[in-house]
Amino acid sequence: MSATAKRVIGLVLAGVLVVGVVIVVVGGRLFGAPTGTAPVTTDLAVVHGVIGSEKKPFFDDPAVRAVFAEKGLDVEVVTAGSRQIATSVDLTGVDFVFPSSAPAAEKIRREAGARSVFSPFYSPLAIATFTPIVALLQSAGIANQDAAGTWHLNVAEYLKAVAAGTRWNQLPGAAASYNSSRSILISSTDIRQSNSAAMYLAIASYVANGNSVISSADAEAAVIDPMAALFLEQGFSASSSEAPFEDYLSQGIGSKPLVMVYEAQFLGRQMSVTGRSAITPDMVLMYPDPTVLSKHTVVPLSEQGTQVGELLQSDPRLARLAAQYGFRPADPAVFTAALAGNGLAAPASPVNVIEPPSYETLEAMITTISGRYDTPLASPDANVDK
């Protein structure tokens, strides 16, 4: 072989090496692979979990998967409504569950005999809405804006408007901004399946009960009719929080003027590189007053499930990644830093926060409301995203 040919081959091989290095480095940055760590073994233990749908993007994140893989875990998850997880999902072969509801998690913990649970992050319940809507609600005394610019829904006034059958076009100024004949009503998930709807019920029943947590059959009976109307009058509702939020983003004010969501869904979308454009300037995040915190709680059902819970609660990288999806980790500074890194101000922690009823009381109300539906509930399938 000539010297010239050898020199050409050498240059080609050097170029291939450089390209390979660039691909590895850029790929790691794009997909968030952890830096400064030992190589990840390919011999991973598969860990199965059932989680609420709002956490699926977090678990699918390559950076999250890389942290688990570094510890020898391949975490595979399917989604289901939190109430489904607690009542009807077959947990055979499942290593951990991760519902969005502390009462549901406590029921599972008791029944499974789990010795510990982990609550790595939480999210307040909130309402996704629009600028013309909050202006109309403010003119009717149903909403207000605080000094920091945060909007709040007065739940007591809202319940009065719903009970009176008030329609949007009956509010002052509606003709010029939202002249809709639809009833004022928050869109939620299916109360028979989803935690966000159950937390909505917890808030509404607290207010209807004279600002007291429902704790007896008599108190439940006194409020159950107006509570049922909040859900039955919606018509069709989806089984998990992702669907109504996506409808809000895609269908807009005409279809979904008020949608009950988790704060994390709205903020997480604002911080998403690929999805932030879906949050338009007229979209507003409003907080019910009072509100409730959705405490995302891991209940381990095996030793490997315990390992997942421990990592979620203690690994600072997972806390930072959770904050990027809008969840509030235990350290508020992590949440604030994630938002600041995306040019967003962190909303203040809600002050008027209530506790939900016990699992048994909440379940009794849900069962009563469920019995009033015209259509039966479809059989749950934890292998389908819900």
Side-chain angles (χ1 to χ4, degrees):
M1 182 182 295
S2 68
T4 300
K6 290 180 179 179
R7 185 169 179 271
V8 169
I9 291 173
L11 289 172
V12 170
L13 291 174
V16 169
L17 177 61
V18 170
V19 170
V21 170
V22 169
I23 289 173
V24 169
V25 173
V26 173
R29 290 177 180 172
L30 283 175
F31 297 106
T35 57
T37 59
V40 176
T41 177
T42 56
D43 186 18
L44 303 178
V46 179
V47 186
H48 297 283
V50 182
I51 65 172
S53 65
E54 68 288 333
K55 294 181 286 289
K56 186 68 159 57
F58 169 76
F59 276 92
D60 286 344
D61 189 316
V64 172
R65 296 186 64 82
V67 173
F68 284 125
E70 180 185 305
K71 303 298 183 180
L73 305 176
D74 176 12
V75 179
E76 302 292 339
V77 296
V78 293
T79 64
S82 292
R83 183 169 183 260
Q84 290 176 297
I85 298 174
T87 60
S88 57
V89 170
D90 183 1
L91 298 181
T92 304
V94 173
D95 297 292
F96 71 94
V97 296
F98 200 179
S100 309
S101 164
E106 175 58 19
K107 175 181 183 289
I108 298 167
R109 186 200 68 77
R110 291 199 308 260
E111 293 184 349
R115 289 173 293 180
S116 59
V117 297
F118 305 90
S119 299
F121 45 74
Y122 68 95
S123 185
L125 210 62
I127 300 163
T129 184
F130 300 85
T131 302
I133 297 299
V134 294
L136 282 177
L137 293 174
Q138 184 181 43
S139 70
I142 302 173
N144 64 84
Q145 190 176 27
D146 65 23
T150 302
W151 283 95
H152 303 272
L153 179 80
N154 185 319
V155 175
E157 294 300 318
Y158 163 72
L159 292 179
K160 291 177 185 177
V162 173
T166 308
R167 299 180 183 274
W168 288 106
N169 58 11
Q170 294 175 325
L171 298 183
S177 59
Y178 190 63
N179 193 23
S180 171
S181 62
R182 295 175 60 180
S183 297
I184 296 175
L185 198 63
I186 296 172
S187 297
S188 75
T189 48
D190 191 326
I191 187 64
R192 298 170 291 178
Q193 301 183 75
S194 172
N195 178 66
S196 58
M199 294 299 99
Y200 175 24
L201 174 60
I203 293 170
S205 63
Y206 173 91
V207 173
N209 191 42
N211 293 329
S212 297
V213 176
I214 299 288
S215 59
S216 69
D218 288 343
E220 175 194 335
V223 303
I224 199 64
D225 288 344
M227 295 303 98
L230 294 176
F231 301 97
L232 297 174
E233 292 181 7
Q234 291 182 46
F236 172 79
S237 52
S239 61
S240 78
S241 56
E242 282 300 303
F245 183 59
E246 291 301 325
D247 288 345
Y248 162 80
L249 295 176
S250 61
Q251 298 174 16
I253 192 172
S255 173
K256 301 291 181 184
L258 293 168
V259 180
M260 193 65 74
V261 298
Y262 296 114
E263 175 195 65
Q265 291 177 277
F266 195 99
L267 297 182
R269 188 60 65 98
Q270 284 185 303
M271 289 187 281
S272 169
V273 174
T274 58
R276 65 180 52 162
S277 61
I279 303 293
T280 58
D282 67 331
M283 291 179 172
V284 177
L285 188 64
M286 177 166 62
Y287 294 84
D289 185 14
T291 190
V292 68
L293 303 182
S294 176
K295 299 174 184 177
H296 299 267
T297 305
V298 177
V299 182
L301 305 177
S302 71
E303 290 186 10
Q304 290 173 332
T306 298
Q307 191 175 358
V308 169
E310 290 173 343
L311 283 170
L312 285 167
Q313 188 154 289
S314 64
D315 194 298
R317 294 168 298 177
L318 291 177
R320 289 192 295 269
L321 288 164
Q324 287 290 337
Y325 284 90
F327 297 109
R328 293 181 183 243
D331 184 356
V334 175
F335 179 68
T336 300
L339 288 162
N342 287 275
L344 301 171
S349 297
V351 175
N352 192 9
V353 176
I354 68 166
E355 289 296 326
S358 68
Y359 176 84
E360 289 75 16
T361 299
L362 195 58
E363 181 67 16
M365 287 194 287
I366 293 172
T367 299
T368 300
I369 296 172
S370 298
R372 301 187 183 187
Y373 277 81
D374 292 333
T375 55
L377 182 63
S379 298
D381 181 359
N383 294 314
V384 179
D385 287 354
K386 298 205 172 179

